[in-house]
């Protein structure tokens, strides 16, 4: 504003080296400018074209009258970027030789306001046709047939209603079926001349599949047993004078109240209607997420979505995302040939360069989940859409990505400095890193891998699921779940000792050259890696299995607190110690020591919206003698859609958050009666969720309409504390991260492939004094409430059984009366009948009293 001759620019380290304007070397705080020749900029245009950092101001450079342009280093980001270019000779002279002000004006120069920029709206011009619309109309494809659309619907009250099918004879019911017989139609007979036609029979093969996705909410009903008065109580109340007087006294007031309810809403909240409610801990500027930065892959030729996000555990300001093509299953099959030509990548983004990814990890197919190793962040494991598990080792690139270069010390706005810059010698070809191992496609999963976890370095398991002490002291095992209804455990160490090979085979192996850019860390696993054990979640009586989408182990909460340990191990590797992943064979010689009283149960979320609590240990089948997976300990159908998040709280190891369908649920491990908290149906479907890393009562939920719901259990437990719009499409993943005690960020990925980095405000990142204990007491109260509800259910069930027994006893008593009792009852009924007859006749005047007495005597 006020300086139209200034054009901000972003110059990368490569461009700074080309034009000799490196920060803190060629341009400093004392001399922050550099004169650049136009010939050098034109040469850079010829070499790098649109990739050149001066390309946005190409027109300004071409129209510049002089031979040298002035480039100034913006150390404090006054104009938003790290450099800016002065596009006029007058501006250059004013910067190099500032005019001297008189002494009188020097005293008031600080008070002189800058010239304000006057916005001039664009002026519309008439359309001049040059004939292009005719060519567009001729080349455009128009539909010749009208499309037919069918919509099938039913009443909401019929959702989940039981359906009964029965056989029916079609011939016995009118209009049950209609027979359509063929007949020749003379109006459509075609006469055709004789022609010579050749035909070749070719077998036609067609493979189709379909998948029905149930995403509709389910209706639930409940039935209450009314408490009824006995006949004696009803008669007493009907004859009660106090009840009659009470009804007469309140009848008028009740009628007035009913009339008022028809006229106006008596339950409206007048205070909320008066003004908008402010936040509990401050105004809206303090409680909303603030956008900090965004990343989009501009070099990708296809439309892609983000499937998984993970912050680097050690390097601050570095985040990794996996991307996949936005295609359905049928479209993937149709374009499978083209997809093989495009690389499947995991992109590493840095805060210092929002345009170019710093590293790109290649994989054989699209990655849908990945995770950094908890003991070595240079080891990365991922799951593909084709069911394979992929391993990367970026140790060779560790020095390059850890080159830290902080910004200016006088920056006032941003507290997080850019900490990730490439070496000047790096080029684009070296940014692609190939995978070093991939699992066997025949022995692994058959469908897409939906979740992957590293087991902590404190324990390991064998093929039967028994738990032992970790023999190597590093994380060497993985667990994955897939849409093929299986959960697999993997071990990255060689399972068998290497047998001596013949010399002929050794010569063949020596003749096979390994590419220089692929590390040999996991070479023993490539294309031969098989799972250590495989678990199927059976549905019991049927032959079908549950389809897991997400899982959470009992030791997942320890990974949140392993950051200091990772830093210590990375420093040890830098100091010259040997990387333990380079010598995995030595760990096989250690003796296994079992761990007693270890919890082997874990939570699983399924595609049908079920939450399962099961065990990974195998048990022997008494009939067949084979080792089989145990039956689930508990199963709850809480969500009305696929479960997208199953995560343990970083503060309470027995509290689990599940997100799926249109609702959210919080569980406590060991409580088998149901969830502690279950939200009502949201206006839009939930797609992801994550706990807050610093506040135990806060968690974030992403929706399909681009909004994020922020829940604060200290403020509200029945609805989100606030909702905020992030993007215009579906939110795919949420991942918060703590950078310092004063600054926290949350990464939100959307369906269009954009990664949004937002800054978490103070109220959502800093807990109150007793928040941990307050949330713990809240969970304890919910547990007691569930126990009370379960007790009341048992009491009501017992009362219902007792009532049924009493009814059965009454029915039995009516059939057990003696013959004398029956005769006495008949005699009493007959006498009452005669008395009634006498009264009727006497009232009608047909008989007199004496006649009636004689009549009775005769009888």
């Amino acid at each position: 504003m006020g300086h139209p001759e200034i054009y901000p620019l972003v110059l990368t380290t490569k461009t700074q080296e080309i034009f000799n304007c490196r920060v803190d070397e060629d341009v400093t705080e004392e001399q922050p400018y550099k004169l650049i020749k136009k010939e050098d900029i034109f040469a850079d245009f010829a070499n790098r074209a649109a990739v050149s950092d001066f390309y946005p101001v190409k027109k300004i450079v071409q129209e510049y009258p002089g031979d040298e342009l002035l480039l100034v280093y913006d150390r404090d980001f006054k104009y938003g970027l790290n450099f800016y270019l002065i596009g006029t000779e007058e501006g250059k002279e004013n910067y190099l030789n500032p005019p001297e002000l008189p002494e009188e004006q020097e005293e008031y120069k600080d008070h002189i306001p800058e010239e304000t920029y006057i916005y001039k709206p664009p002026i519309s011009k008439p359309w001049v046709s040059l004939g292009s619309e005719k060519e567009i109309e001729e080349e455009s494809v128009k539909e010749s047939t009208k499309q037919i659309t069918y919509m099938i619907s039913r009443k909401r009250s019929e959702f989940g209603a039981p359906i009964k099918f029965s056989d029916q004879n079609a011939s016995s019911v009118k209009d049950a079926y209609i027979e359509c017989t063929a007949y020749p139609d003379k109006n459509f007979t075609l006469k055709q001349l004789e022609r010579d036609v050749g035909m070749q029979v070719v077998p036609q093969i067609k493979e189709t599949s379909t998948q029905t996705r149930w995403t509709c909410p389910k209706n639930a009903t409940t039935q209450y047993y009314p408490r009824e008065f006995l006949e004696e109580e009803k008669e007493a109340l009907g004859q009660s004078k106090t009840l009659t007087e009470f009804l007469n006294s309140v009848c008028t007031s009740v009628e007035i109240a009913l009339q008022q309810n028809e006229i106006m809403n008596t339950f409206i909240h007048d205070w909320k209607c008066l003004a908008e409610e402010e936040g509990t801990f401050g105004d809206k500027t303090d409680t909303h997420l603030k956008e900090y930065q965004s990343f989009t892959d501009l070099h990708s030729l296809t439309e892609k979505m983000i499937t998984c996000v993970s912050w680097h555990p050690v390097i601050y300001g570095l985040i990794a995302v996996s991307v996949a093509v936005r295609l359905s299953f049928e479209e993937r099959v149709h374009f499978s040939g083209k997809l093989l030509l495009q690389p499947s990548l995991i992109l590493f983004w840095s805060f210092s360069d929002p345009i170019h990814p710093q590293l790109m990890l290649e994989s054989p197919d699209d990655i849908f989940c990945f995770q950094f190793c908890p003991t070595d962040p240079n080891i990365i494991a991922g799951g593909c859409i084709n069911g394979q598990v992929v391993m990367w080792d970026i140790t060779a690139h560790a020095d390059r990505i850890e080159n830290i270069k902080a910004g200016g010390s006088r920056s006032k706005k941003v507290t997080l400095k850019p900490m990730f810059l490439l070496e000047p010698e790096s080029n684009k070809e070296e940014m692609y890193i190939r995978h070093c191992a991939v699992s066997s496609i025949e022995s692994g999963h058959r469908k897409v891998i939906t979740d992957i976890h590293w087991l902590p370095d404190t324990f390991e398991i064998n093929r039967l699921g028994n738990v032992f002490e970790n023999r190597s002291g590093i994380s060497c095992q993985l667990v994955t779940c897939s849409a093929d209804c299986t959960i697999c455990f993997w071990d990255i160490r060689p399972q068998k000792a290497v047998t001596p090979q013949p010399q002929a085979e050794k010569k063949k192996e020596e003749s096979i050259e390994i590419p220089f850019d692929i590390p040999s860390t996991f070479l023993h696993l490539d294309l031969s890696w098989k799972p250590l054990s495989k678990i199927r979640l059976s549905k019991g009586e049927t032959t079908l299995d549950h389809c897991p989408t997400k899982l959470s182990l009992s030791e997942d909460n320890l990974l949140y607190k392993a950051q200091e340990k990772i830093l210590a191990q990375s420093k040890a590797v830098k100091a010259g110690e040997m990387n333990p992943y380079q010598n995995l064979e030595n760990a096989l010689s250690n003796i296994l020591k079992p761990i007693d009283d270890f919890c082997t149960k874990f939570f699983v979320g399924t595609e049908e919206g079920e939450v399962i609590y099961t065990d990974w240990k195998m048990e022997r089948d008494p009939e067949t003698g084979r080792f089989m997976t145990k039956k689930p300990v508990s199963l709850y159908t809480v969500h009305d859609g696929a479960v997208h998040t199953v995560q343990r709280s970083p503060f309470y190891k027995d509290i689990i958050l599940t997100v799926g369908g249109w609702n959210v649920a919080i569980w406590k491990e060991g409580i088998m009666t149901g969830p502690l908290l279950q939200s009502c149906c949201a206006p839009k479907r939930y797609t992801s969720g994550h706990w807050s890393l610093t506040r135990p009562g806060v968690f974030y939920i992403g929706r399909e309409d681009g909004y994020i719901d922020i829940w604060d259990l200290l403020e509200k437990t029945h609805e989100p504390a606030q909702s905020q719009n992030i993007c215009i499409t579906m939110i795919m993943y949420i991942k918060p991260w703590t950078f310092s005690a004063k600054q926290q960020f949350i990464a939100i990925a959307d369906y269009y492939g954009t990664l949004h980095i937002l800054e978490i405000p103070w109220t959502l990142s800093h807990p109150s004094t007793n928040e941990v204990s307050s949330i713990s007491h809240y969970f304890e109260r919910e547990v007691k409430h569930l126990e009370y509800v379960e007790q009341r259910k048992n009491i009501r069930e017992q009362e219902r059984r007792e009532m049924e027994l009493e009814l059965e006893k009454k029915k039995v008593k009516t059939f057990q009366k003696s013959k004398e009792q029956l005769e006495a009852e008949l005699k009493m009924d007959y006498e009452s009948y005669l008395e009634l007859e006498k009264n009727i006749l006497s009232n009608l005047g047909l008989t007199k009293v004496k006649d009636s007495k004689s009549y009775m005597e005769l009888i």
Side-chain angles (χ1 to χ4, degrees), residues 74 87 103 115 160 174 257 429 470 499 641:
D74 193 357
E103 295 181 358
E115 297 180 1
K174 185 180 179 181
E429 295 180 357
N470 194 327
T499 57

Side-chain angles (χ1 to χ4, degrees), residues 758-777:
L758 295 97
E759 189 172 1
I760 302 176
W762 177 274
T763 55
L764 296 177
S765 59
H766 291 74
S768 58
T769 307
N770 300 320
E771 184 169 349
V772 177
S773 58
S774 300
I775 297 298
S776 178
H777 292 328

Side-chain angles (χ1 to χ4, degrees), residues 222-228 796-797 799-800 803-804:
T222 182
Q223 180 66 38
Y224 292 92
Y225 290 95
R227 188 180 67 179
E228 298 181 354
R796 293 300 182 190
E797 185 67 20
E799 291 178 353
R800 187 181 63 81
M803 292 174 62
E804 290 178 355

Side-chain angles (χ1 to χ4, degrees), residues 538-555:
S538 176
K539 287 190 177 181
E541 299 177 355
T542 63
T543 57
L544 302 176
D545 297 328
H546 296 284
C547 182
T549 55
K550 297 292 179 180
L551 56 88
S552 175
L553 304 177
S554 58
E555 300 293 329

Side-chain angles (χ1 to χ4, degrees), residues 373-376 379 454-460 469-478 491-493 521-522 565 569 573 578-585 587 590:
C373 179
T375 53
D376 188 357
I379 306 298
W454 285 89
L455 296 186
D457 56 358
T458 56
F459 70 92
E460 63 181 56
E469 292 183 2
N470 194 327
R471 53 192 175 183
S472 58
I474 57 176
S475 296
C476 295
Q477 292 183 340
L478 296 160
D491 198 323
I492 63 176
R493 298 167 295 192
T521 310
F522 305 106
K565 187 175 181 180
Q569 291 180 354
V573 173
M578 183 178 180
N579 191 349
Y581 288 94
Q582 300 291 340
N583 190 13
L584 294 173
E585 290 81 1
N590 297 336

Side-chain angles (χ1 to χ4, degrees), residues 387-403:
Q388 289 181 295
V389 180
V390 189
M391 299 291 295
W392 292 273
D393 186 3
I394 60 174
T395 306
H397 307 271
D399 296 336
R400 183 176 68 181
I401 65 177
E402 291 176 3
N403 182 23

Side-chain angles (χ1 to χ4, degrees), residues 501-515:
Q501 297 179 353
Q503 294 183 357
E505 295 183 2
K506 288 184 178 179
K507 290 181 180 179
K508 289 182 181 179
E509 291 182 358
E510 291 177 358
S511 63
I512 300 174
E513 296 183 359
I514 302 173

Side-chain angles (χ1 to χ4, degrees), residues 302-496:
T302 58
E303 297 179 349
K304 294 189 176 183
M305 62 179 179
I306 296 178
T307 56
C308 188
V309 179
S310 181
W311 295 89
H312 197 283
V314 178
I315 302 175
Y316 296 112
L318 182 64
I319 185 169
V321 297
S322 59
V323 294
V325 182
R326 297 202 305 264
L327 295 176
S328 61
F329 178 78
E330 292 78 8
E331 292 172 341
R332 280 183 175 272
V333 174
H334 186 263
F335 298 105
S336 58
K338 296 181 180 180
L339 294 178
L340 292 175
L341 303 176
Q342 300 176 2
S344 301
L345 303 173
I346 293 180
L347 307 177
F348 281 72
W349 293 103
S350 169
F351 282 3
S352 64
D353 191 354
I355 300 176
H356 304 94
Q358 309 302 323
L359 289 179
M360 287 179 277
L361 308 184
E362 294 182 342
S363 64
D365 212 335
D366 287 345
I367 298 293
F368 271 70
C369 58
F370 70 94
Q371 193 177 40
F372 288 93
C373 179
T375 53
D376 188 357
N378 296 322
I379 306 298
I380 304 170
C384 294
I385 191 175
N386 61 358
Q388 289 181 295
V389 180
V390 189
M391 299 291 295
W392 292 273
D393 186 3
I394 60 174
T395 306
H397 307 271
D399 296 336
R400 183 176 68 181
I401 65 177
E402 291 176 3
N403 182 23
I404 298 175
K405 192 177 183 70
S409 59
R410 296 186 179 182
S411 178
K412 300 179 181 179
K413 183 179 179 181
V414 182
T415 59
L416 178 67
K417 308 299 187 300
M419 295 186 176
F420 184 93
L421 293 174
L422 291 177
E423 291 283 348
E425 294 79 13
S426 63
N427 52 40
K428 291 186 177 180
E429 295 180 357
E430 296 178 354
M431 293 167 62
Y432 289 90
I433 301 176
R434 295 182 59 186
H435 58 274
C436 56
V438 64
S439 64
S440 172
I441 198 169
E442 294 86 4
S443 305
H445 295 289
R446 302 292 181 182
K447 293 183 180 180
V448 55
I449 298 176
T450 55
D451 201 6
I452 186 169
H453 290 270
W454 285 89
L455 296 186
D457 56 358
T458 56
F459 70 92
E460 63 181 56
I461 67 171
N462 60 0
R463 295 182 180 275
L464 302 180
N466 298 320
V467 183
F468 300 89
E469 292 183 2
N470 194 327
R471 53 192 175 183
S472 58
I474 57 176
S475 296
C476 295
Q477 292 183 340
L478 296 160
V479 57
T480 58
C481 66
S482 172
D484 61 353
C485 304
T486 59
I487 298 175
C488 293
F489 288 86
W490 308 77
D491 198 323
I492 63 176
R493 298 167 295 192
Q495 297 300 314
K496 295 182 180 179

